[in-house]
Amino acid sequence: MHHPGHQADGGEPLLVPREEIYVEFAKSLFRAFPDRSAIYIPGVPVNSRCWSILHESEEVRRHARLYIPDRDWARHYSVTLNRSFDEYLLKFSKKARYNLKREIKLLGTSGNGELSLVRVEHAADVALFLDGASQISSRSWQHALGPQMVNSPEERLRYERFAGQGVLRCYLLKCGERPCAFVRGFQFGDVFYYSRTGFDQNFSGYSPGRAMFCLLLEDLYTHRPPKRLNFQEGEYEYKRHFATGHVEQADMLLVRNDAGGLVRLAVSAHNAFGRSISLAKRIMHRQ
């Protein structure tokens, strides 16, 4: 059974933490999409002001009913940028710091000693980034899941618009003349969003992903530094390794009160099913 809905992307609310702001945010979503029965908001920190207001506000309840589709909270990792990159590296042991530097050096040696990180923020550099990132994507392990990066006129226009808005901040790592890793990123205010990454599997023996992250983070400390790097969705080992902290987060579903009875029934059934799955998992873990 399908019902019309809309997804509001985010994961880290950037609004002022005042109740009337979040209430108006919820109401304005339904005004913007009057033909939608529900609004899906992924990745809201469970200890955030946004979470508590949308749960507790009588004003929100007059317009919509709140559901939590998945009762298993996910961990959302981030890096808080302190005073310097050298200070950040102290979170690792002396041996781990040595290995990181060694991996970067070996990767450079594979490109005849030339390892360069290209930062892409301007529309004029978008074609260069998409060309390199799409080449890397075609040789990455993620390619089996489908194209991760596409170099097309439509994509170039989209990225050029991001650049024009001042939020584009992507990176391309090159070994000699050959691109070996990329990160698609965006910076809004004090937060850098680590959106998507990939590396050429031909360089896998040199840990290009780890090298890429270290060089990128060092650049964040020196150029237009944000206060935090947001890893966005996904619980991967490298995120746990490089993160300085995490928050528990969950998805929200706001179903408007004037939605049809079948919509509310379907959502209630799905919600009950999700609770039963979570309970079964907890029982299995106790055994």
Side-chain angles (χ1 to χ4, degrees):
M1 183 182 297
H2 297 281
H3 298 284
H6 182 77
Q7 177 170 320
D9 286 331
E12 182 164 344
L14 300 173
L15 304 176
V16 178
R18 288 162 40 196
E19 180 170 355
E20 61 270 23
I21 296 293
Y22 284 112
V23 170
E24 186 56 34
F25 165 69
K27 290 161 59 177
S28 65
L29 283 173
F30 286 118
R31 287 198 298 267
F33 305 97
D35 60 333
R36 297 295 188 260
S37 301
I39 300 294
Y40 176 63
I41 310 175
V44 180
V46 299
N47 60 349
S48 68
R49 189 68 178 134
C50 175
W51 176 275
S52 60
I53 288 173
L54 292 180
H55 270 77
E56 300 165 6
S57 170
E58 291 288 344
E59 180 68 14
V60 171
R61 281 199 285 268
R62 278 197 287 269
H63 295 272
R65 186 171 178 181
L66 179 64
Y67 295 88
I68 310 301
D70 189 345
R71 297 283 167 170
D72 291 327
W73 305 154
R75 283 190 170 182
H76 187 95
Y77 294 92
S78 64
V79 176
T80 298
L81 278 71
N82 293 317
R83 287 178 293 184
S84 69
F85 180 64
D86 288 338
E87 183 182 89
Y88 164 79
L89 289 177
L90 292 177
K91 78 184 286 294
F92 303 109
S93 67
K94 184 176 181 180
K95 180 179 180 181
R97 294 196 301 270
Y98 170 80
N99 287 335
L100 280 173
K101 293 179 180 178
R102 179 174 176 273
E103 288 168 356
I104 294 173
K105 183 177 180 180
L106 289 174
L107 181 60
T109 301
S110 72
N112 296 320
E114 298 179 7
L115 191 64
S116 58
L117 183 70
V118 180
R119 184 193 324 115
V120 177
E121 298 176 294
H122 306 294
D125 300 321
V126 164
L128 170 70
F129 171 73
L130 287 179
D131 182 55
S134 60
Q135 290 181 41
I136 296 166
S137 176
S138 68
R139 296 190 287 266
S140 69
W141 67 265
Q142 297 101 323
H143 187 67
L145 306 176
Q148 302 297 300
M149 297 295 294
V150 178
N151 184 15
S152 67
E154 294 77 16
E155 280 293 274
R156 288 195 293 273
L157 180 61
R158 193 162 72 96
Y159 279 73
E160 287 167 2
R161 286 174 178 164
F162 289 139
Q165 294 165 354
V167 299
L168 187 69
R169 186 164 184 173
C170 300
Y171 289 90
L172 197 63
L173 185 63
K174 300 177 71 175
C175 293
E177 294 300 315
R178 184 173 177 178
C180 63
F182 76 89
V183 166
R184 182 182 73 180
F186 305 94
Q187 184 166 328
F188 187 90
D190 290 330
V191 181
F192 173 77
Y193 295 89
Y194 191 94
S195 174
R196 181 169 294 176
T197 186
F199 64 85
D200 186 336
Q201 290 191 96
N202 292 313
F203 292 89
S204 60
Y206 301 99
S207 302
R210 290 162 59 88
M212 176 86 193
F213 180 80
C214 286
L215 295 173
L216 175 155
L217 189 61
E218 187 173 18
D219 186 74
L220 290 181
Y221 272 98
T222 58
H223 174 77
R224 203 160 55 91
K227 292 182 180 178
R228 185 164 63 260
L229 179 149
N230 183 322
F231 271 121
Q232 299 199 270
E233 73 281 349
E235 295 192 47
Y236 295 99
E237 190 282 329
Y238 78 91
K239 293 182 180 182
R240 292 191 291 271
H241 181 73
F242 287 113
T244 60
H246 70 271
V247 297
E248 305 295 318
Q249 64 177 26
D251 301 338
M252 286 182 169
L253 186 67
L254 288 171
V255 179
R256 60 194 315 151
N257 288 335
D258 59 359
L262 284 177
V263 175
R264 293 195 298 272
L265 180 62
V267 172
S268 296
H270 184 276
N271 206 37
F273 177 73
R275 287 197 298 269
S276 67
I277 293 297
S278 297
L279 177 61
K281 288 180 178 179
R282 288 196 293 271
I283 292 173
M284 291 294 293
H285 287 160
R286 293 192 190 117
Q287 294 178 351

